[in-house]
Amino acid sequence: MAGGGGPAHSRPRGQRSWPRRLLPRRQRSRRLSALVRALEGCGSDALWVGDRLVTPVDEEVGSNYLTRGPQTGRPFGPVLLLTVAAAATSRVRLNTSTLSTVYYEPPHLARQLTTLDVLGDGRLGVGARLGWMKQEYGSARNADWHRRGKMLDDTLALLQAW
């Protein structure tokens, strides 16, 4: 789905991640629903969604690509995208491969994920990430890069307790 999720070949057979190019920026819900139903109908076992707010919008990726300032590609939100997929499917697992917890207030994230898991009949799997891009922390929430490990630990503890 939008926001990356990694190349499809990195997933076990029968599972799909959706590169941004498959879903244009202005996609209608019914077309997205049709796509996930078709993937489920073709035997996909799982759908994977990545999460990135700050990302290069061009092909020029290198160690200094954010020196031009934060770039956003208007990716879809992973929780809402998986909610549409949950409503359109009945069998496939719904997964985040790299949920960027720094973007969310922990109680709000816990509520969103719990709602999705309930509406999806327990099909949600969550992979969270610490992050590697210092600029992303400052751009997303003005978060302290040096506290990112503690922030992730606190968020994961709240999610498990929720």
Side-chain angles (χ1 to χ4, degrees):
M1 287 189 175
H9 70 280
S10 67
R11 302 277 174 236
R13 186 178 178 166
Q15 300 183 13
R16 302 287 184 260
S17 63
W18 297 335
R20 194 175 320 203
R21 68 182 173 272
L22 291 180
L23 294 173
R25 285 187 186 159
R26 296 178 190 250
Q27 184 61 268
R28 294 185 179 188
S29 175
R30 63 178 156 58
R31 292 187 67 195
L32 175 59
S33 296
L35 175 62
V36 297
R37 278 192 298 274
L39 288 172
E40 185 176 60
C42 290
S44 289
D45 297 319
L47 305 174
W48 292 86
V49 180
D51 187 18
R52 180 157 311 276
L53 186 61
V54 177
T55 188
V57 294
D58 55 33
E59 297 297 320
E60 193 177 315
V61 177
S63 60
N64 65 345
Y65 71 89
L66 282 176
T67 59
R68 299 184 299 269
Q71 302 176 49
T72 58
R74 293 186 183 159
F76 291 107
V79 176
L80 294 175
L81 202 52
L82 286 175
T83 301
V84 171
T89 61
S90 61
R91 185 187 49 76
V92 295
R93 295 277 306 157
L94 309 162
N95 300 289
T96 65
S97 59
T98 54
L99 189 67
S100 302
T101 58
V102 70
Y103 301 152
Y104 309 93
E105 288 295 333
H108 183 69
L109 178 61
R111 184 174 65 174
Q112 285 184 328
L113 293 173
T114 299
T115 301
L116 172 55
D117 195 42
V118 169
L119 293 177
D121 296 325
R123 295 182 286 150
L124 179 63
V126 177
R129 74 181 184 101
L130 181 61
W132 60 271
M133 232 188 311
K134 187 174 183 178
Q135 299 91 329
E136 189 172 35
Y137 274 72
S139 298
R141 284 188 49 199
N142 200 22
D144 183 355
W145 170 255
H146 301 289
R147 293 195 64 245
R148 69 191 184 281
K150 174 81 169 114
M151 291 169 60
L152 179 60
D153 288 345
D154 291 348
T155 298
L156 294 176
L158 178 75
L159 290 175
Q160 289 192 0
W162 193 270

